[in-house]
């Protein structure tokens, strides 16, 4: 199956980072005037008919909404003509980035679920908040209160109410973990960010799969090991990695250092000055869709994609009986959960991803103060 006809966005778990999209792209399979398809008439007939190309995007999370947005930028900048339909099986835009209200009361402060924070290294997210005029605030990850690490029996490390960033907090960390481990990890994180930020360069180019782009940013050795293995090979003290870094990876990803890969563990240590949108981070993705001018179909599950006859390459079917044809389809949803039937079957070998099943319990009360 030609990869010029079906684009796959394999969305992996990420809390603080999003994979950036190129600022512009070409749609090389469209013939005639850029962005338009020319339908040939018969020998006796009528002049040729020109119609806009049609693109379907499956999924309205971070990948799908941004794909629609950046496609619309290409449309404007390159004078292309095409229509975009975005299909989303949920009743909201944002995917893993969503919010809930206690008791369903929208007058109460919401709770951010899923992709709850972003940092300065998330260039697209930061730019979007400015472009769409979204107010952002420091997240709870910048917590300035007392911090403690519990090993199941006792607090092995604890700061005063001024937090770990204060002088007393830093002195306490130095007393327990020494000077070498924290400074070494800080240097490793900065080096990782230096390579990661190359993704945003205009001359970075495109890639076919995740391993190739990871190799380009020189992070293959990081993702090839668990967090525990990586920090051990880097000479980071066991006490610092198994206590403080392990605690950070549990808070960010609900995973122990022995199970999460090195890159995820490094991301957990780079959440300084994390931000969140006041109205909820999903507002970024809602604005992506709105600004794109795409037609959004919520509560609509795509069940089947079939090769069609030209000029429209793909036949799309939904669970509620919709049946439409498109020139191109972008699958912007995790394939293991999309339950999509491809006809013919995909030749691309999609690796099995060991997703974490994270259970979240939210406790709420109408009392003004917690009952000790």
């Amino acid at each position: 199956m030609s990869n010029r006809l079906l684009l796959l966005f394999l969305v992996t778990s990420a809390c603080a980072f999003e994979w950036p999209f190129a600022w512009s792209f070409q749609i090389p399979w469209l013939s005639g005037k850029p962005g338009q398809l020319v339908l040939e008439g018969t020998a006796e007939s009528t002049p040729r008919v020109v119609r806009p190309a049609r693109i379907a995007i499956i999924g309205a999370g971070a990948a799908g909404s941004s794909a629609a947005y950046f496609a619309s930028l290409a449309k404007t900048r390159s004078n292309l003509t095409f229509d975009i339909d975005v299909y989303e099986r949920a009743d909201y835009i944002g995917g893993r980035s969503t919010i809930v209200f206690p008791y369903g009361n929208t007058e109460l402060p919401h709770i951010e679920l899923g992709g709850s924070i972003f940092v300065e290294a998330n260039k697209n997210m930061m730019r979007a908040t400015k472009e769409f005029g979204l107010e952002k605030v420091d997240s709870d990850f910048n917590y300035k209160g007392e911090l403690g690490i519990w090993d199941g029996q006792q607090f092995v490390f604890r700061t005063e109410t001024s937090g770990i960033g204060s002088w007393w907090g830093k002195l306490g960390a130095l007393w327990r973990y020494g000077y070498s481990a924290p400074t070494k990890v800080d240097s490793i994180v900065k080096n990782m960010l230096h390579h990661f930020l190359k993704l945003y360069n205009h001359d970075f180019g495109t890639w076919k799969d995740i391993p190739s782009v990871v190799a380009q940013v020189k992070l293959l050795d990081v993702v090839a090991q668990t967090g525990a293995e990586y920090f051990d090979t880097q000479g980071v003290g066991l006490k610092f990695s198994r206590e403080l870094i392990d605690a950070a990876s549990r808070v960010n990803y609900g995973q122990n250092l022995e199970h999460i890969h090195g890159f995820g563990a490094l991301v957990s240590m780079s959440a300084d000055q994390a931000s969140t949108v006041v109205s909820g981070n999903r507002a970024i993705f809602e604005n992506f869709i709105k600004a794109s001018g795409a037609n959004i179909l919520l509560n609509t599950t795509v069940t089947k994609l079939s090769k069609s006859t030209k000029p429209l390459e793909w036949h799309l079917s939904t669970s509620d009986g919709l049946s439409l044809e498109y020139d191109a389809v972008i699958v912007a949803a995790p394939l293991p959960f999309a339950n999509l039937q491809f006809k013919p079957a995909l030749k691309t070998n999609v690796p099995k991803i060991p997703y974490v099943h994270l259970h979240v319990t939210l406790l709420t009360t109408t009392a003004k103060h917690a009952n000790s």
Side-chain angles (χ1 to χ4, degrees):
M1 183 176 295
S2 172
N3 60 11
R4 71 188 178 91
L5 298 177
L6 179 64
L7 309 178
L8 298 180
F9 286 83
L10 303 181
V11 184
T12 58
S13 290
C15 180
F17 287 123
E18 86 283 359
W19 291 106
F21 292 86
W23 283 109
S24 63
F25 68 161
Q26 294 180 336
I27 307 178
W29 63 86
L30 301 182
S31 59
K33 183 180 177 182
Q36 294 181 338
L37 286 185
V38 178
L39 308 184
E40 299 288 350
T42 61
E44 304 81 22
S45 81
T46 59
R48 297 185 302 173
V49 179
V50 177
R51 66 163 178 80
R54 301 189 64 197
I55 300 174
I57 299 176
I58 302 174
S65 62
S66 56
Y69 176 67
F70 288 113
S72 71
L73 292 186
K75 185 176 179 179
T76 303
R77 295 173 182 177
S78 302
N79 194 28
L80 301 173
T81 305
F82 54 84
D83 297 325
I84 302 175
D85 291 338
V86 180
Y87 292 85
E88 172 56 55
R89 64 184 179 185
D91 60 358
Y92 67 91
I93 296 167
R96 288 195 315 108
S97 182
T98 187
I99 57 176
V100 293
F101 292 93
Y103 304 106
N105 186 347
T106 55
E107 294 183 1
L108 295 175
H110 66 260
I111 298 169
E112 193 77 64
L113 297 180
S116 56
I117 64 168
F118 51 94
V119 295
E120 286 296 330
N122 300 133
K123 301 296 184 183
N124 289 346
M125 298 288 281
M126 286 293 182
R127 180 182 174 121
T129 59
K130 294 175 183 176
E131 195 157 319
F132 300 135
L134 300 173
E135 183 184 357
K136 66 180 191 296
V137 293
D138 289 346
S139 79
D140 293 338
F141 280 71
N142 304 322
Y143 182 62
K144 300 297 191 296
E146 187 175 4
L147 178 145
I149 298 176
W150 178 261
D151 70 353
Q153 296 180 330
Q154 61 181 339
F155 281 104
V156 295
F157 175 69
R158 205 167 168 176
T159 69
E160 300 299 326
T161 55
S162 50
I164 197 171
S166 69
W167 281 107
W168 284 112
K170 289 176 180 177
L171 284 173
L174 285 172
W175 179 263
R176 179 161 184 82
Y177 303 116
Y179 177 78
S180 174
T183 52
K184 185 172 289 187
V185 170
D186 184 59
S187 175
I188 294 170
V189 169
K190 287 179 179 176
N191 183 61
M192 177 271 293
L193 287 173
H194 169 73
H195 289 297
F196 176 84
L197 290 173
K198 292 177 183 177
L199 283 164
Y200 293 94
N201 294 342
H202 288 278
D203 58 356
F204 186 80
T206 58
W207 57 88
K208 292 182 179 180
D209 50 40
I210 296 298
S212 63
V213 72
V214 171
Q216 286 187 66
V217 293
K218 304 184 185 306
L219 292 173
L220 267 181
D221 62 322
V222 184
V223 299
Q225 306 174 71
T226 66
E229 290 168 341
Y230 178 73
F231 286 113
D232 289 349
T233 59
Q234 295 298 311
V236 176
L238 284 175
K239 191 178 287 186
F240 187 80
S241 65
R242 298 314 192 272
E243 290 180 7
L244 208 144
I245 302 178
D246 200 11
S249 68
R250 287 184 180 190
V251 167
N252 276 284
Y253 295 110
Q255 295 186 63
N256 293 334
L257 204 59
E258 287 81 4
H259 298 129
I260 194 171
H261 61 57
F263 181 67
L266 284 174
V267 172
S268 296
M269 296 301 292
S270 60
D272 291 341
Q273 298 180 341
S275 299
T276 185
V277 176
V278 171
S279 58
N281 290 337
R282 76 180 190 188
I284 292 175
F285 310 119
E286 290 170 342
N287 276 275
F288 275 157
I289 293 290
K290 182 179 179 181
S292 74
N295 177 39
I296 179 74
L297 295 91
L298 298 177
N299 296 306
T300 306
T301 302
V302 177
T303 56
K304 187 176 180 180
L305 279 176
S306 307
K307 280 283 288 184
S308 182
T309 56
K310 288 188 176 182
L312 278 79
E313 298 281 358
W314 294 97
H315 187 95
L316 180 150
S317 304
T318 69
S319 59
D320 54 359
L322 279 176
S323 183
L324 297 167
E325 292 189 333
Y326 292 93
D327 300 291
V329 178
I330 297 175
V331 179
L335 286 181
F337 304 124
N339 296 320
L340 261 177
Q341 180 185 354
F342 293 92
K343 188 177 180 180
L346 275 180
K347 292 181 181 178
T348 304
N349 182 26
V350 180
K352 202 168 184 180
I353 300 173
Y355 284 94
V356 173
H357 293 269
L358 187 63
H359 299 270
V360 178
T361 302
L362 302 175
L363 302 178
T364 183
T365 177
T366 54
K368 290 184 177 180
H369 306 286
N371 187 325
S372 59

